Amino acid sequence: EDQIVLVYDTMWNATRRMAEAIAEGIGEAAPETTVKLLNTSKIDKTDVITEVFRSKAVVMGSPTVNNGYLYSVAGILELMRGAKFKKKKAAAFGSYGWSGEAVPNLTARMQQLRLSLPLEGMRVRFCPTQEDLAAAVQFGRDFAKAVRGE
């Protein structure tokens, strides 16, 4: 379907704020595309994977926790592995305090799942500033254009 889904979890709302800004950018660049924000800690995993299946692209986000990404996001990635999505466009984003491994680890996992990653992932240290949120909006615009083949 003409839909892009943002699948994320957050600890202190920094990653949520990034997700909202990225969704805004996608909406600006592709107003005809449905954009859905799905917080993996609040929505049943079956509903999340159904929306991923329906979407032409997925953006995954997580803060860095214990040198990786949150387990609720890991669970969705495992379900995606079983579904064997191939060539679906994808990107990663997240916030971090010290080490910042979530985005590179998400990117590596999505590559293992044979998803197509047209953009390098986006990371923000600590709480996103207005500049960071503006960059997230632009990230969303760029991702929407990549999904549309522009």
Side-chain angles (χ1 to χ4, degrees), residues 1-7 26 30 32-38 47-59 88-89 143 147:
E1 297 178 18
D2 192 8
Q3 174 173 292
I4 297 174
V5 65
L6 286 92
V7 176
I26 293 169
E32 70 288 346
T33 300
T34 301
V35 180
K36 292 192 176 180
L37 287 163
L38 304 175
D47 294 332
V48 173
I49 203 68
T50 298
E51 293 302 330
V52 172
F53 178 78
R54 288 181 178 156
S55 300
K56 60 183 172 184
V58 59
V59 185
K88 189 178 289 276
K89 297 242 192 298
F143 185 72
V147 169

Side-chain angles (χ1 to χ4, degrees), residues 30 41 43 49 80 131 142:
S41 67
I43 299 172
I49 203 68
M80 289 172 66
E131 284 180 359
D142 293 343

Side-chain angles (χ1 to χ4, degrees), residues 99-119:
S99 55
E101 290 96 340
V103 171
N105 290 347
L106 282 170
T107 299
R109 184 64 176 137
M110 289 188 289
Q111 288 170 331
Q112 291 172 346
L113 297 177
R114 297 190 176 140
L115 300 173
S116 172
L117 291 117
L119 300 179

Side-chain angles (χ1 to χ4, degrees), residues 128-144:
T129 64
Q130 289 302 326
E131 284 180 359
D132 293 330
L133 293 174
V137 170
Q138 186 60 50
F139 182 84
R141 286 186 202 116
D142 293 343
F143 185 72

